[in-house]
């Protein structure tokens, strides 16, 4: 069986590429959830990884659920369907969202349903001019079963998330930029160059500081300020004692480029 997810590493940057263009990179009816879970575990174990890029082959980023596969679920019991979601696409949501290194979604084409939510599991989204985003579950009589009702409002705000969820309408790349769903829109032939450039700028920083910074950003979404400040003080005390911090400060004072070792 051909792998759904290609795993490539160049220095501190890992690129995960969905590679099932014949199904428009659908996330169900195949081994995609397990491969995502295994890739995230591999990244979590590898301290050399500082950034992850998620992209896709073909003209579609991801069509989300495979409708032909959904026909096979018509006779499944509610209990079986609940288990299927918990052990499938929901494992992708927790594994990808909870990665402790920065993640970039390089969206090459339409991101539909769970494909749209997949982009929201990443920290940063950049889009090709050919990209679009649709929270389209309602159009097939379903709800966001993969965590989209939690993820999307945190990216675009509740009003825009509600509009996208209740209409199921597609949002163009330009509209996605305007509402903050993506931070950059580029010509299709520049997408991966821009993604790699961004990844390299991030990866130039110490991995330990990146991981701690990401954790603070995540926790800050639901913590009280006072609690986050206390957590920040603890993290900062750890950061002060790293050789990367010492090297960065010394390099600045000595007016040279810092040389960071492994974290």
């Amino acid at each position: 069986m051909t792998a759904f997810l290609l795993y490539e590493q160049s220095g501190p940057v890992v690129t995960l590429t969905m590679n099932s263009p014949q199904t428009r990179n659908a996330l169900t009816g195949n081994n995609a959830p397990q491969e995502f879970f295994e890739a995230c575990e591999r990244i979590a174990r590898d301290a050399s990884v500082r950034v992850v890029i998620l992209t896709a082959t073909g003209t579609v980023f991801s069509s989300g659920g495979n409708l032909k596969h959904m026909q096979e679920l018509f006779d499944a019991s509610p209990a079986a369907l609940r288990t299927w979601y918990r052990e499938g696409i929901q494992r992708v949501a927790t594994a990808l969202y909870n990665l402790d290194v920065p993640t970039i979604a390089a969206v090459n084409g339409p991101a539909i349903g769970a494909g749209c939510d997949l982009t929201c599991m990443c920290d940063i989204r950049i889009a090709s001019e050919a990209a679009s985003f649709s929270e389209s579950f309602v159009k097939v009589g379903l709800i966001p079963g993969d965590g989209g009702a939690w993820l999307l409002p945190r990216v675009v705000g509740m009003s825009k998330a509600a509009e996208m969820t209740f209409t199921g309408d597609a949002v163009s790349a330009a509209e996605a930029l305007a509402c903050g769903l993506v931070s950059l829109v580029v010509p299709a032939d520049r997408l991966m160059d821009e993604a790699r450039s961004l990844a390299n700028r991030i990866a130039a920083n110490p991995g330990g500081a990146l991981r701690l910074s990401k954790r603070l950003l995540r926790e800050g979404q639901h913590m009280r300020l006072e609690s986050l400040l206390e957590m920040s003080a603890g993290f900062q005390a750890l950061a002060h004692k790293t050789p990367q911090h010492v090297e960065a400060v010394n390099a600045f004072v000595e007016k040279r480029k810092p040389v960071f070792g492994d974290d």
Side-chain angles (χ1 to χ4, degrees), residues 1-51:
M1 181 182 294
T2 302
F4 174 84
L5 199 61
L6 304 180
Y7 189 113
E8 301 172 275
Q9 183 166 357
S10 177
V13 179
V14 165
T15 301
L16 300 177
T17 305
M18 293 181 284
N19 188 38
S20 183
Q22 68 277 12
T23 66
R24 304 197 303 165
N25 298 310
L27 299 170
T28 63
N30 54 22
N31 201 42
Q34 182 62 26
E35 291 187 34
F36 265 106
F37 186 76
E38 290 173 356
C40 289
E41 280 198 323
R42 179 177 173 182
I43 291 164
R45 291 193 302 266
D46 188 348
S48 72
V49 180
R50 296 184 184 179
V51 190

Side-chain angles (χ1 to χ4, degrees), residues 169-184:
D169 291 346
V171 171
S172 69
E175 292 172 307
L177 181 62
C179 72
L181 181 51
V182 302
S183 56
L184 182 67

Side-chain angles (χ1 to χ4, degrees), residues 105-128:
V107 188
N108 55 300
I112 304 163
C116 178
D117 293 338
L118 188 65
T119 71
C120 294
M121 297 169 199
C122 297
D123 301 307
I124 302 168
R125 287 154 296 283
I126 65 174
S128 154

Side-chain angles (χ1 to χ4, degrees), residues 17-116:
T17 305
M18 293 181 284
N19 188 38
S20 183
Q22 68 277 12
T23 66
R24 304 197 303 165
N25 298 310
L27 299 170
T28 63
N30 54 22
N31 201 42
Q34 182 62 26
E35 291 187 34
F36 265 106
F37 186 76
E38 290 173 356
C40 289
E41 280 198 323
R42 179 177 173 182
I43 291 164
R45 291 193 302 266
D46 188 348
S48 72
V49 180
R50 296 184 184 179
V51 190
V52 174
I53 299 171
L54 174 62
T55 192
T57 58
T59 59
V60 176
F61 179 77
S62 176
S63 59
N66 187 323
L67 294 183
K68 291 183 179 179
H69 178 253
M70 286 183 191
Q71 290 178 315
E72 300 173 13
L73 302 177
F74 287 166
D75 296 327
S77 69
L81 285 167
R82 190 178 186 187
T83 298
W84 180 74
Y85 273 94
R86 283 174 164 174
E87 296 181 355
I89 191 66
Q90 290 186 355
R91 292 178 76 204
V92 177
T94 54
L96 186 55
Y97 185 83
N98 290 325
L99 271 180
D100 62 356
V101 297
T103 52
I104 302 167
V107 188
N108 55 300
I112 304 163
C116 178

Side-chain angles (χ1 to χ4, degrees), residues 96-164:
L96 186 55
Y97 185 83
N98 290 325
L99 271 180
D100 62 356
V101 297
T103 52
I104 302 167
V107 188
N108 55 300
I112 304 163
C116 178
D117 293 338
L118 188 65
T119 71
C120 294
M121 297 169 199
C122 297
D123 301 307
I124 302 168
R125 287 154 296 283
I126 65 174
S128 154
E129 291 172 340
S132 61
F133 302 81
S134 52
E135 193 76 348
S136 57
F137 299 93
V138 71
K139 288 188 176 292
V140 291
L142 294 176
I143 56 91
D146 57 354
W150 190 90
L151 293 159
L152 189 59
R154 283 167 166 76
V155 175
V156 299
M158 185 57 73
S159 180
K160 189 63 177 179
E163 177 190 329
M164 291 178 66

Side-chain angles (χ1 to χ4, degrees), residues 205-260:
N205 297 305
L210 289 171
R211 290 181 177 85
L212 292 176
S213 295
K214 176 167 178 175
R215 176 63 63 85
L216 287 174
L217 286 172
R218 287 284 193 253
E219 295 299 327
Q221 291 182 308
H222 55 262
M223 263 188 175
R224 294 172 59 248
L225 174 59
E226 290 77 10
S227 299
L228 187 72
L229 287 172
E230 187 62 29
M231 188 175 185
S232 300
F235 280 9
Q236 195 74 305
L238 293 174
H240 269 280
K241 294 301 180 181
T242 62
Q244 290 79 15
H245 166 67
V246 174
E247 167 64 9
V249 172
N250 287 340
F252 182 83
V253 172
E254 296 165 11
K255 298 181 180 180
R256 60 175 174 82
K257 186 176 180 179
V259 178
F260 299 121

